[in-house]
Every structure is written in structure tokens, then in C-alpha cells.
Amino acid sequence: MLFRSGVNEKLNRIANQLKDDYDYIMWAADDTVVLTPSWDTLLVDAIKDIRHGISYPNDLLQGARLPSNGTCFDTSIVRTLGYLAPPTLLHLFIDNYWRHLGQTLETLRYCEDVKLEHKHYINKKALVDPIYKAVNAPWMYDHDRNALAAYLKNDFVSDLRKLTVS
């Protein structure tokens, strides 16, 4: 099965549908279990006074390393750029982009005490199913690694300018 899709197109489509109706949007996959009550309020509170803020919980897999499942975004990012992550990415390295963007803007906030458990096959909390296989195929890693590198080289500085003047 040749799988040419991933979560990014869906994230960007939904983010654009919601960007004008909400100040913050959050992302969590179906293999995530919320462990902290009021997790959404805590993540919003972490960035409510930060323009273009990005906050993320402890997913018990990546921890502070990457803003993965449960990440919260100021919708001004989507209103300014037109996307939550570069459209050239299919499924992987989206969290690397979010980390790079938030670190560069100095708007990234890790909320260690907010826990959303990521039950992934990598940490042996899920079985490998056909979708996991498809979106984690070697060609997908190559494609998205190269797409992120090209974006950072060619478009990231322009997007930063848009964000810093908005």
C-alpha cells in the first residue's frame, strides 16, 4: 500500500477552519490519554500572555524533547502563516518544526506537570497496525526529513518575518 497522506494536511485544514473562532487550538492524537484534569486550561494559561505561544504537556514518551501530542497553539500562528505546520510535511517532523518555531520565537513552554500519555508502539503501549506502518515507513521519514530541511533553508526566515511583524 502506497500511503501519501498523513496528519499534517488534516491538522492544517482544521486549524484554518477554527483560526478565526478561537484564540487557541490544541492537537492530540487518538493514541493519547489525558491524565491531568483541566489539562487544556493549564496549557492555555502557560501561553495566554505570549504572542504566537506554543505550550505542550509531558506525553510520557518525548517529555520535554518535543511538543507532540497535546500541544496548544495561539491561533495567531495559523492566521499569520496559513498553516500549523508547513504543508510540505506529510506526517513526521511536525513536532520538530513546532519546537524550532517556538524556540526561535522564544514562545515555547513545556508544562511538565500536565500529563497526556502517548500510547505509541515505540514505547510498547500499542500494537503496530497498518496506519502506524504506513506513516512510519522509511520513505516517509526521508520525505519529511528532507521537506523540513528544505523549508528551514528556504522559507523559515520569511515566515519568521511575518510572525514578528504581525
Side-chain angles (χ1 to χ4, degrees):
M1 172 174 89
L2 186 55
F3 189 80
R4 294 261 178 217
S5 185
V7 73
N8 196 37
E9 184 278 328
K10 297 170 192 86
L11 284 175
N12 284 333
R13 182 170 20 92
I14 298 300
N16 273 290
Q17 289 173 2
L18 301 175
K19 69 183 179 187
D20 295 324
D21 296 328
Y22 298 94
D23 295 327
Y24 304 95
I25 55 176
M26 298 178 186
W27 143 253
D30 63 355
D31 59 357
T32 305
V33 177
V34 174
L35 301 176
T36 302
S38 301
W39 67 280
D40 51 347
T41 301
L42 295 167
L43 291 174
V44 167
D45 286 348
I47 60 171
K48 68 181 177 187
D49 296 324
I50 302 170
R51 182 95 169 124
H52 309 312
I54 302 169
S55 62
Y56 64 107
N58 181 352
D59 71 352
L60 305 179
L61 175 59
Q62 293 294 343
R65 290 185 302 268
L66 283 174
S68 184
N69 279 286
T71 302
C72 176
F73 306 88
D74 179 337
T75 52
S76 65
I77 295 169
V78 181
R79 285 192 297 271
T80 302
L81 298 180
Y83 53 78
L84 201 52
T88 53
L89 297 174
L90 297 176
H91 188 82
L92 304 169
F93 296 92
I94 297 167
D95 41 13
N96 299 81
Y97 163 75
W98 293 335
R99 179 184 61 201
H100 188 71
L101 178 65
Q103 286 176 337
T104 304
L105 292 171
E106 298 180 352
T107 63
L108 186 64
R109 301 296 182 266
Y110 175 56
C111 301
E112 182 176 14
D113 294 335
V114 179
K115 294 183 174 47
L116 275 75
E117 184 176 15
H118 190 178
K119 293 184 175 258
H120 198 274
Y121 75 87
I122 290 174
N123 59 5
K124 301 184 183 349
K125 294 181 180 181
L127 299 174
V128 178
D129 64 22
I131 299 297
Y132 272 137
K133 282 183 184 178
V135 297
N136 290 284
W139 76 265
M140 182 78 80
Y141 272 92
D142 291 342
H143 176 277
D144 282 357
R145 183 183 304 108
N146 292 334
L148 180 59
Y151 166 81
L152 292 174
K153 179 181 177 186
N154 300 316
D155 299 310
F156 185 67
V157 170
S158 172
D159 281 353
L160 277 180
R161 276 191 217 107
K162 293 175 192 172
L163 289 166
T164 56
V165 298
S166 68

